[in-house]
Amino acid sequence: MFIQMIQGPCTRQDEAHALLDEWRRDLAPGAAGWLGGTYGFTDDDQLVAVVRFASRDAAMANSDRPEQSAWAERFGELMDGPPVFHDCDDVTLFLDGGSDEAGFVQIITGRVDDPGRLKAMLADTTALHEARPEIVGGTLAIEPDGSFVETVAFTSEEAAREGERVEPPADVRRELEYALRGATFHDLHHPRFQSA
């Protein structure tokens, strides 16, 4: 799997939603290898989108389509500044990988010096589900320099906040502190989903 995260300032949210819906309706059927996406707006008017493809080649082939280029140009005109892109080939799914029924999504960005340690923390899905049953799944995408984009889907924001207040065991807390040191949280209170 290949994940691309796009982030940039955008105050024209209704127009952005309409254009994203147009992409799903008109362009998605011709996007070979497109698996889906999660997107929304943060409180400080950042558009954050995490798009999934079967492979980097499929994503690049989509980008090369003339209709995709024309759509991307229109979308860029809605943005209040240039977007930032993160491209990741190293993708791990945890629990069910997320759900289009999630009521709240956090996109977490950061950097670690030991990606294997971060992956191992998410590999124990039984412990994760027992500790945080409100997490319905997510994805972890890591770039070669250790930068990561983690998408965590929750049943609801209320349940997520309640889960945050539960003190984890010492070993789990130590791993969380390692993984989230210097991380940035992008809260999508009203996430939207598109699936192939």
Side-chain angles (χ1 to χ4, degrees):
M1 183 185 294
F2 173 79
I3 278 182
Q4 183 175 73
M5 175 185 163
I6 304 114
Q7 177 188 353
C10 180
T11 53
R12 297 162 66 181
Q13 295 184 11
D14 289 343
E15 292 172 81
H17 281 308
L19 203 52
L20 286 161
D21 290 343
E22 178 186 313
W23 189 92
R24 176 66 180 102
R25 183 186 68 241
D26 299 340
L27 275 72
W34 174 73
L35 301 175
T38 301
Y39 69 95
F41 292 89
T42 62
D43 290 337
D44 60 350
D45 294 321
Q46 291 285 312
L47 168 68
V48 182
V50 177
V51 185
R52 302 179 308 278
F53 279 87
S55 66
R56 179 182 290 268
D57 288 345
M60 297 306 108
N62 176 64
S63 295
D64 290 342
R65 295 190 299 157
E67 61 270 36
Q68 175 66 30
S69 297
W71 181 90
E73 185 174 335
R74 291 170 55 211
F75 198 82
E77 292 170 358
L78 290 179
M79 303 295 285
D80 298 327
V84 175
F85 294 83
H86 296 277
D87 294 336
C88 305
D89 295 290
D90 184 353
V91 178
T92 302
L93 302 180
F94 57 93
L95 296 175
D96 290 331
S99 169
D100 288 359
E101 304 303 316
F104 175 62
V105 170
Q106 281 188 325
I107 312 287
I108 306 165
T109 56
R111 181 176 292 182
V112 292
D113 55 11
D114 184 356
R117 182 176 174 184
L118 182 55
K119 288 183 195 179
M121 183 180 75
L122 294 175
D124 187 357
T125 56
T126 300
L128 176 61
H129 185 66
E130 287 176 358
R132 300 291 300 272
E134 78 282 8
I135 296 176
V136 293
T139 60
L140 173 66
I142 302 178
E143 296 180 69
D145 68 352
S147 298
F148 69 85
V149 175
E150 184 178 4
T151 305
V152 186
F154 299 87
T155 54
S156 69
E157 183 167 6
E158 179 182 12
R161 300 307 181 198
E162 186 175 321
E164 288 173 355
R165 290 192 288 272
V166 175
E167 184 66 22
D171 58 331
V172 174
R173 184 174 64 249
R174 185 171 53 253
E175 293 305 296
L176 285 170
E177 288 172 353
Y178 166 74
L180 301 177
R181 185 176 56 238
T184 302
F185 290 76
H186 309 277
D187 291 347
L188 307 185
H189 303 291
H190 307 286
R192 294 207 181 184
F193 308 95
Q194 295 182 340
S195 295

